[in-house]
Amino acid sequence: AQLGEKVYVFTSHAVHLGHFRAPDASVKDLPQEEVIHGVHVRRFKINYRFMDLVLQRGIKVRGAYRLFRALTGSAFVLWEHGPVTWGMFDAIRRLKPDVVLATNHYFFTTYLCYLAKRFFKIPLILMPVTHSADPWTHHPCLKMMYDASDVLIACTEFEKRYLVSLGQREDKIEVLPLGIDPDIFQGAEGERIKQKYHLKEVPIIAYFGRKVPHKGFETLIDCMGLVWRECPDAQLLLAGQPEDYFATRMKKCMDQYSDTDKQRILNIDN
């Protein structure tokens, strides 16, 4: 958008993964459309009724589950992942963009971008954000989407080599590391943040990200015992968006430590 191009972001009317399967009142105030820094953002309603009919009640009807799996083929698992936002598919058709960039190969919305490439011949750039240790990366539906893409974007050279090992051509893979705009940190007040959260002038180990098991926050908490043997004053900072079960799992991890040690772990939910 800063270069004068028209940029549209199509996403679902959700904030985190839990909203893909069930509606949540916390997102009702999100605007359906808005412009952020010159980028046109449009949020599409998730088809909860369809998901309930087909993926919940439908499987109880004899033969319905097998029929739907047969119709969707290897993409069935993407229907299960969600978010099922059929309105996005037609919106891509009507917009007729010069190119579509789809990020994260785990979601149904990326599958819709693949379908737009297949049926409307819109060039597709796919940024899978591959988790190479996850067995999901070998699913046949991913190869189908990778093969159809015109360009694959890898976040690292390692990911590029991994995609090549999966059979993708090296010349169609571009490496573009994930980054942030450093300008937003101009004038940052680190000392004010330390004072606000009572962080001391000691080594601070910080975790920023979603608080979900596969990110390893539990392992990080468990390892603090080893850290404190070498650096007793170190503090642990956990900051990010928690899932509903986070508090219970964190308490279980924290129970191994004394009250004094617990005071050196700061949790910020945002």
Side-chain angles (χ1 to χ4, degrees), residues 46-54 57:
I46 299 174
N47 305 116
Y48 294 115
R49 293 181 63 183
F50 174 85
M51 295 171 63
D52 178 63
L53 177 64
V54 175
R57 288 184 287 175

Side-chain angles (χ1 to χ4, degrees), residues 30 33 37 43 47 88 93 105 107 115 122 150 153 194 201 203 212 237 241 249 267:
L30 282 176
E33 295 187 45
H37 301 305
R43 299 179 178 89
N47 305 116
M88 186 182 296
R93 178 188 65 82
H105 61 193
F107 302 123
L115 292 179
I122 300 174
D150 298 280
I153 295 180
K194 285 185 177 181
E201 293 298 329
V212 291
L237 169 62
Q241 183 186 69
R249 300 187 73 143
N267 178 55

Side-chain angles (χ1 to χ4, degrees), residues 128 215 218 220 246 257-258:
K215 296 289 186 180
E218 293 165 297
L220 181 56
F246 171 76
Y257 296 123
S258 66

Side-chain angles (χ1 to χ4, degrees), residues 80-98:
E80 287 188 311
H81 289 171
V84 178
T85 52
W86 264 119
M88 186 182 296
F89 182 65
D90 186 58
I92 295 173
R93 178 188 65 82
R94 288 185 281 106
L95 182 64
K96 299 179 181 178
D98 294 329

